[in-house]
Amino acid sequence: MNQHAAALAADVPDALDALWQQVAQLTEAGQLRRLSGVFARFVGAMQADGSAASAPLLLACVLLSELEGRGHSCLMLAELAADPCALLGWSEAQWAPLAASAAPLPRHVKGWLTLLAGAGQVWQVGQFDYDQPLVLDGERLYLRRYWRDETTVAAAISARAHAPRPVDSAALHRWLGLLFDDAKADGADSDTDTDWQRLACAIAARGSVAIITGGPGTGKTYTVARLLALLLAGAGAAPLRIALAAPTGKAAARLKQSIDKALYQLAARMADSGAGFDLQAGTERIGAARTLHSLLGAHPDTRLFAHHRANPLELDVLIVDEASMVHLEMMAAILDALPAHATLVLLGDKDQLSSVEAGAVLGDLCEHAEDGGYDSATAAYAIAAAGQALPPRFLGEAGALAQQTVMLRHSHRFGGPIGALAAAVNHGDVALAEQVLRAGDGAGDGNPGAAVAWIEHARQPQLVELAVEGYRPYLQASGGEPLAVLRAFEEFRLLCAVRDGEWGVAGLNAAIEQRLQAARLIRKSGEWYVGRPVMVTRNDYGTRVYNGDIGVTLADPARAGSLRVYFLEGEQVRSVLATRLRHVETAYAMTVHKSQGSEFAHTVMVLPKAGGAMLARELIYTGITRARQRFTLVTPAAGILAEAIVRKTRRASGLRAMLARR
């Protein structure tokens, strides 16, 4: 806020003192962000005639800002009128003093609509626009920036979904027969018989947008590699400009590695098939996968990108992996910079945690993915192009975007206890989840390597010892080759639901570091030491490290006494002098959010003693699905797992409604 606005805010009339006192108390107690009160004061100072803004309006501003900080893109007036306590997860005792300070509050949606529509700081969609900071769209109140981003995403996705491209179904059918190993028989009558991967390729080939969703091991990158081969074959001699991207450097490196491996195998098969298509030549033109910030040309310390509508990306196909992590503002920027002719393919697990920033874009876009909702035209196309008869239960009229969305339904990775546990959590089945955890290794199911364990009523020293043993191999190897050390570090990881407290990232990192020092596995004499794992917490374009990147500190072989941090990028290793990294934190323990896009041989997830709104089904599911071979759950208190599984996160958003009306 500029100095003039700050001065105005300080002069808000005394009639609002009760509200500001309550906001200040809640802020000091850590129940509200400081920004929420500042924003409300800023809006109050914008009253054109100098009169006092209404207390209910300013309370709505506090709530709107607070919800934005928790990942919501708007404030639903129906929820505000019906159960305001639930908006922030507060009790009636917490909410009542704040509500009383702004009384009288409207008791119904109609009252809130009247109040907001009459406020000079609010633009009601369809009325004359004065660039007010708040936007009222139907029964949703927005910060203008998020309304603009939702509108951009809805308009761009809808336009692409409504513009299918002409396809030679017979030719597509022949190519798909060459690209897939096991052709499913035509006329499949159940979802287990349907080759959803083959169908996803056919669907994506006919449009300028495609969404391929599915859990871990369902073959999203396997499928998209075949899609790329299909698109390259269709392009013929014309060069096809393809970009691979992901929200984090780690996810981008994994995407490129998976795609390269699949395309290499396909190229050999295509060469032997006599199809007359040199896939190898086409794939050599695909560059390295990049972070979305890098792809768009982010300007340091600003929200601006080099690429936008007036300077679009120069590409024909954009593949975005880990799309569940893409927040609303970033998705709007991608769509704004994407040429109209280009094909956008979004890959991701709709059931994973959304980005820590506002929006749940992939979840909103995949509203009908579970049920399909395919119309008669898509059903006919599925048979003609992919040889797949859609089961009746997946037919319907779910709209244009549903026709360009495919959910992969069979996991090739999780066939044992980890898969069963993930499925139970995802379906909200507490009893089954607890049963799977208590069954232990599940050796009788033919997959004893995919073991699960549950340490109930745990104490912190137990968890610290578990972490010490998990990290011992990489620390003992820390004098060797960086690639071997980094691979050893990826074998084990401790994930937390929260950042603070005894069972959070901060408390556990300190306790683990202290125990490793006592066990002489590290020699800590300052902030930096050999073996220290670090996570980058802020993009640094000078050193080419980005928020979420994880590295391990090792001795610099070229400079005695110097330390470098080594990062694994696919099969390659790059390093940066430790002294050049300004924004990092120790990473023996990390949040589940930060682990997205990664997987570890043994994943340990710890829950706190007390729950909260952030402790929900999606977080548990995401933590479980980071495990490749073993998963261990650690809970210090009874009932916390059940509480989390029952709670399903729902972020307030208008994206689904905006898509439905286009």
Side-chain angles (χ1 to χ4, degrees), residues 57-141:
L57 169 66
L58 300 183
L59 175 59
C61 290
V62 171
L63 295 176
L64 179 60
S65 175
E66 195 65 25
L67 289 171
E68 179 272 331
R70 301 184 186 196
H72 304 270
S73 63
C74 61
L75 170 60
M76 298 285 195
L77 299 186
E79 296 179 5
L80 176 59
D83 187 9
C85 298
L87 286 171
L88 302 179
W90 288 1
S91 67
E92 178 63 35
Q94 290 172 297
W95 167 254
L98 183 61
S101 70
L105 297 177
R107 299 179 61 185
H108 305 287
V109 171
K110 185 177 180 180
W112 278 108
L113 286 171
T114 301
L115 183 147
L116 294 170
Q121 301 93 329
V122 179
W123 172 52
Q124 187 173 11
V125 174
Q127 304 299 316
F128 194 82
D129 188 356
Y130 294 97
D131 287 328
Q132 298 99 317
L134 303 174
V135 175
L136 182 62
D137 188 344
E139 296 182 358
R140 301 182 302 275
L141 181 66

Side-chain angles (χ1 to χ4, degrees), residues 165 224 227-228 231-232 240-244 314-320 338-339 341-345:
R165 295 170 177 167
V224 85
L227 171 61
L228 287 175
L231 295 174
L232 287 166
L240 197 63
R241 299 167 300 176
I242 298 171
L244 307 177
E314 296 181 357
L315 50 82
D316 303 302
V317 179
L318 174 60
I319 310 291
V320 179
L338 196 63
H341 76 274
T343 296
L344 172 65
V345 181

Side-chain angles (χ1 to χ4, degrees), residues 405-555:
T405 303
V406 177
M407 179 175 171
L408 307 181
R409 301 168 189 271
H410 176 65
S411 177
H412 302 274
R413 184 194 307 169
F414 292 148
I418 294 178
L421 179 60
V425 169
N426 206 16
H427 289 96
D429 192 332
V430 174
L432 181 56
E434 292 183 345
Q435 177 184 330
V436 173
L437 282 166
R438 291 197 170 101
D441 288 351
D445 68 359
N447 190 12
V452 298
W454 188 7
I455 303 176
E456 300 180 74
H457 308 291
R459 295 175 296 107
Q460 195 196 63
Q462 284 178 280
L463 179 58
V464 170
E465 289 302 320
L466 179 61
V468 168
E469 293 309 307
Y471 290 129
R472 184 184 296 274
Y474 101 83
L475 290 168
Q476 290 178 332
S478 60
E481 289 295 320
L483 179 59
V485 176
L486 288 167
R487 283 177 172 167
F489 180 60
E490 294 297 296
E491 291 294 294
F492 179 90
R493 198 59 47 88
L494 177 60
L495 306 181
C496 300
V498 297
R499 287 197 56 82
D500 301 321
E502 179 186 12
W503 299 98
V505 169
L508 286 169
N509 270 321
I512 292 169
E513 198 171 54
Q514 183 178 12
R515 183 67 187 89
L516 290 172
Q517 176 86 334
R520 299 186 179 181
L521 288 169
I522 61 172
R523 296 181 179 180
K524 186 176 184 294
S525 57
E527 179 186 16
W528 291 101
Y529 55 86
V530 171
R532 182 193 181 196
V534 295
M535 174 181 288
V536 178
T537 59
R538 186 175 175 182
N539 293 336
D540 188 332
Y541 299 93
T543 57
R544 293 190 299 118
V545 297
Y546 302 97
N547 186 11
D549 287 355
I550 294 177
V552 174
T553 310
L554 301 173

Side-chain angles (χ1 to χ4, degrees), residues 178-493:
L178 291 172
L179 293 169
F180 283 86
D181 287 324
D182 300 315
K184 298 286 179 70
D186 290 358
D189 59 4
S190 75
D191 56 315
T192 55
D193 293 329
T194 303
D195 189 337
W196 294 101
Q197 295 176 337
R198 184 184 298 248
L199 179 64
C201 286
I203 291 292
R206 71 171 183 174
S208 58
V209 65
I211 301 172
I212 302 174
T213 187
T218 53
K220 294 185 291 294
T221 51
Y222 172 93
T223 302
V224 85
R226 279 148 181 79
L227 171 61
L228 287 175
L230 193 64
L231 295 174
L232 287 166
L240 197 63
R241 299 167 300 176
I242 298 171
L244 307 177
T248 67
K250 180 78 172 180
R254 284 187 59 203
L255 173 64
K256 176 63 172 173
Q257 184 180 12
S258 299
I259 293 291
D260 282 352
K261 181 179 179 181
L263 286 175
Y264 177 80
Q265 295 169 343
L266 277 175
R269 180 192 306 171
M270 297 297 284
D272 294 338
S273 70
F277 170 58
D278 186 357
L279 178 59
Q280 184 63 38
T283 58
E284 287 173 354
R285 293 196 295 267
I286 302 176
R290 304 164 69 181
T291 65
L292 292 170
H293 280 87
S294 174
L295 175 76
L296 294 174
H299 294 297
D301 302 318
T302 75
R303 309 181 86 97
L304 302 177
F305 295 104
H307 291 288
H308 42 73
R309 187 170 306 178
N311 181 33
L313 294 161
E314 296 181 357
L315 50 82
D316 303 302
V317 179
L318 174 60
I319 310 291
V320 179
D321 197 15
E322 297 293 345
S324 65
M325 299 169 63
V326 180
H327 56 82
L328 177 62
E329 184 178 14
M330 177 59 76
M331 188 64 78
I334 293 167
L335 290 162
D336 189 56
L338 196 63
H341 76 274
T343 296
L344 172 65
V345 181
L346 300 176
L347 307 176
D349 184 347
K350 67 179 181 63
D351 296 314
Q352 277 190 194
L353 282 167
S354 299
S355 164
V356 293
E357 298 184 57
V361 181
L362 185 66
D364 286 340
L365 297 181
C366 290
E367 179 183 8
H368 301 289
E370 194 86 34
D371 298 326
Y374 298 116
D375 60 27
S376 57
T378 297
Y381 174 75
I383 293 175
Q388 304 299 305
L390 292 168
R393 74 184 188 91
F394 295 113
L395 302 180
E397 297 287 341
L401 183 58
Q403 313 313 309
Q404 290 301 118
T405 303
V406 177
M407 179 175 171
L408 307 181
R409 301 168 189 271
H410 176 65
S411 177
H412 302 274
R413 184 194 307 169
F414 292 148
I418 294 178
L421 179 60
V425 169
N426 206 16
H427 289 96
D429 192 332
V430 174
L432 181 56
E434 292 183 345
Q435 177 184 330
V436 173
L437 282 166
R438 291 197 170 101
D441 288 351
D445 68 359
N447 190 12
V452 298
W454 188 7
I455 303 176
E456 300 180 74
H457 308 291
R459 295 175 296 107
Q460 195 196 63
Q462 284 178 280
L463 179 58
V464 170
E465 289 302 320
L466 179 61
V468 168
E469 293 309 307
Y471 290 129
R472 184 184 296 274
Y474 101 83
L475 290 168
Q476 290 178 332
S478 60
E481 289 295 320
L483 179 59
V485 176
L486 288 167
R487 283 177 172 167
F489 180 60
E490 294 297 296
E491 291 294 294
F492 179 90
R493 198 59 47 88

Side-chain angles (χ1 to χ4, degrees), residues 44-59:
M46 294 182 68
Q47 197 78 349
D49 59 3
S51 62
S54 75
L57 169 66
L58 300 183
L59 175 59

